[in-house]
Amino acid sequence: MRRALLLAGLLAALVAPAAAQAPPNWSEDEIRAVGRHGPWPPPAVRDPSNRVSGTPAGIALGEHLFNDPRLSGDGRMSCATCHQAGRDWSDGQPKGIGTVPLDRRTPSLWNVGYGHWFGWDGAGDSLWAQSIRPIVDPREMANAAARVGRLLREDGQLACGYRRAFGVSPGADDEQLLVDAAKALAAFQETLVSPRTAFDDFRDALVGGDRQAMARYGASEQRGLRFFVEAGNCSTCHFGPRFTNGEFGDVGIPFFVRPGEVDSGRLGGLARLFDSPFNLLGRYNDDTTGASARRTRHVQRLHANFGEFRVPGLRQVGRAGAYMHNGSVGTLEEVVRHYSEVSPDRLHSDGTPLVRPLGMSPQQSTDLVAFLRSLDAEPPPRPAPPPLCP
Ligand code: HEC
Ligand code: HEC
């Protein structure tokens, strides 16, 4: 039996090379499927729940606050401690600092402004609400609204930056100032858009029928891309220009953290979302139309949400040091092996399973990794921000 398999494998290897080397012929349906992963970059974000979203003065204040360790209780930790520009806005570690007991990985902030749920478990329904959490979490920056308020009122640069962004001087309401600081932080983070990649050039060439430009993208990458949108079913969840549908899924990553500790994922996230005074149903939402709160108003906490985590976007994915919500997978090759071999017993999703063991050949795995790596590009260097109020 083994020998027969071996022989068959050898034969396949002898006849396969021509097929394995060639780029695929793209059908109309496949071209449409690839087209949906662009164009890139998308239009700039404008969040109606945040009145300084998209404003230059809000963005400038946010960038200063992002890098300012005085935003933490002991003055030693800033957002940039864990979300480092030189590490694709993450920390390069499998587990983030201060995530005990759940031991989660620090996500990259590339393209974060285009999402609608935030955090691995979706506990935030706006980027500004999500930005409040680390400031006041005792395991992270361990600060309090009163100290943030005092900082904005008493520091000349920040007070001036606040005035330019919000049109008034920082007032006496500390909680309001905490929220406003988070809104400026969100405005800045909305500008973190990842660079164009080799994939984007190919996607545009394919959609435009430019064969010469298409040929600049490797045959292996092309085959991997076709697998991604077709047989692999990856595009169902890793959908659209950011390669995420912004929702949640269970792909069979263990949710046991340590004996006695389970990460319930979205189930717990929704409980925290509803408890938060900063969610979009609360008084800090700047959108008077109510439209931005629609998702939050209608979302329900279902048992099926247990063990679901947010579908990560895949741009710049090959540059990360570890994968999944808990950093438990070390390389892209291992991610692909996971999808190839995942045990159906590990999945507990109801209805049609979107994830099933794909049983990929070594060539298919290599191609898929080559495609995923074509979603990476070196970002341009960032100049230091100018002073807020020269
Ligand atoms: C001590 C490390 C640490 C610090 C400091 C920190 N973060 Fe994070 N950040 C994390 C971790 C870990 C997560 C994932 C949390 C989770 O989902 O449970 C995260 C998640 C996020 C997310 C959600 C991203 C997404 O894809 O949904 C945003 C936005 C964010 N942080 C912004 C900030 C801002 C703004 C600051 C400063 C006010 C900050 N972070 C400070 C570690 C940190
Ligand atoms: C059912 C929806 C779904 C499908 C189908 C799916 N994924 Fe995922 N993917 C996810 C979710 C959810 C995570 C995060 C899981 C976690 O952290 O526990 C993830 C994580 C990943 C990651 C790690 C990203 C990171 O930053 O940690 C990669 C890479 C990836 N998927 C690639 C693929 C590929 C390739 C396919 C097709 C073979 C695929 N996915 C199919 C939902 C899906």
Side-chain angles (χ1 to χ4, degrees):
M1 181 63 196
R2 275 198 90 83
R3 277 178 62 171
L5 266 176
L6 215 81
L7 250 164
L10 263 172
L11 265 173
L14 280 173
V15 289
Q21 299 303 313
N25 286 318
W26 293 93
S27 73
E28 288 298 316
D29 278 352
E30 288 166 351
I31 294 174
R32 257 194 302 280
V34 173
R36 284 195 283 269
H37 289 293
W40 197 262
V45 182
R46 191 85 179 70
D47 173 2
S49 75
N50 174 359
R51 66 195 183 286
V52 298
S53 167
T55 66
I59 294 167
L61 175 63
E63 181 163 14
H64 277 266
L65 289 171
F66 193 87
N67 291 297
D68 195 333
R70 291 175 301 171
L71 213 52
S72 65
D74 67 3
R76 290 209 281 213
M77 187 184 267
S78 71
C79 309
T81 305
C82 301
H83 299 285
Q84 301 165 21
R87 289 206 163 101
D88 293 276
W89 308 102
S90 181
D91 55 8
Q93 305 293 322
K95 317 246 185 244
I97 321 166
T99 57
V100 176
L102 295 182
D103 288 355
R104 290 181 183 164
R105 183 167 68 89
T106 306
S108 159
L109 298 180
W110 282 129
N111 312 319
V112 70
Y114 298 96
H116 47 264
W117 301 117
F118 300 88
W120 285 107
D121 57 11
D125 59 356
S126 72
L127 187 50
W128 54 267
Q130 181 68 27
S131 301
I132 294 174
R133 188 196 56 84
I135 302 176
V136 295
D137 189 321
R139 298 159 307 167
E140 293 184 48
M141 296 164 81
N143 210 345
R147 288 175 50 107
V148 175
R150 194 170 347 122
L151 177 69
L152 286 174
R153 281 187 298 267
E154 291 179 2
D155 180 81
Q157 280 281 312
L158 292 178
C160 168
Y162 182 95
R163 246 184 334 270
R164 289 190 176 179
F166 290 94
V168 290
S169 292
D173 181 344
D174 291 325
E175 187 170 276
Q176 179 71 56
L177 289 180
L178 173 67
V179 170
D180 290 346
K183 285 181 176 167
L185 284 164
F188 164 64
Q189 294 170 86
E190 285 164 1
T191 67
L192 305 178
V193 179
S194 64
R196 270 180 73 88
T197 64
F199 163 76
D200 296 304
D201 291 343
F202 175 74
R203 179 258 174 214
D204 294 355
L206 180 70
V207 169
D210 181 346
R211 293 200 155 268
Q212 215 177 344
M214 276 168 67
R216 285 197 279 273
Y217 190 60
S220 178
E221 283 82 347
Q222 293 195 36
R223 289 190 305 267
L225 167 60
R226 173 143 80 170
F227 187 86
F228 188 90
V229 299
E230 286 282 312
N233 209 16
C234 314
S235 286
T236 319
C237 302
H238 297 284
F239 182 79
R242 284 190 309 135
F243 292 86
T244 169
N245 57 10
E247 291 296 324
F248 300 80
D250 171 13
V251 297
I253 302 300
F255 42 76
F256 295 104
V257 186
R258 64 180 72 77
E261 194 71 58
V262 170
D263 190 339
S264 70
R266 193 175 199 215
L267 194 69
L270 281 171
R272 290 201 286 139
L273 171 72
F274 295 137
D275 278 350
S276 168
F278 305 116
N279 70 33
L280 289 177
L281 301 171
R283 67 187 181 95
Y284 293 110
N285 184 344
D286 294 333
D287 169 26
T288 47
T289 72
S292 60
R294 185 177 43 88
R295 267 199 193 85
T296 311
R297 194 171 297 116
H298 294 299
V299 73
Q300 281 178 11
R301 202 162 166 256
L302 304 170
H303 190 72
N305 299 134
F306 183 93
E308 284 188 332
F309 293 90
R310 222 210 24 238
V311 179
L314 298 181
R315 288 183 178 270
Q316 304 293 64
V317 71
R319 298 163 59 90
Y323 298 96
M324 307 302 178
H325 70 275
N326 55 7
S328 61
V329 181
T331 63
L332 276 185
E333 284 76 7
E334 287 168 46
V335 172
V336 167
R337 191 176 331 130
H338 170 80
Y339 282 110
S340 186
E341 297 172 0
V342 60
S343 152
D345 310 336
R346 270 285 314 109
L347 304 164
H348 52 277
S349 37
D350 309 337
T352 342
L354 290 168
V355 174
R356 55 188 163 77
L358 293 168
M360 299 163 69
S361 71
Q363 181 71 60
Q364 283 174 320
S365 303
T366 308
D367 291 344
L368 186 54
V369 171
F371 158 64
L372 290 170
R373 290 204 185 283
S374 76
L375 299 174
D376 298 348
E378 186 67 31
R382 288 185 74 84
L388 273 174
C389 298

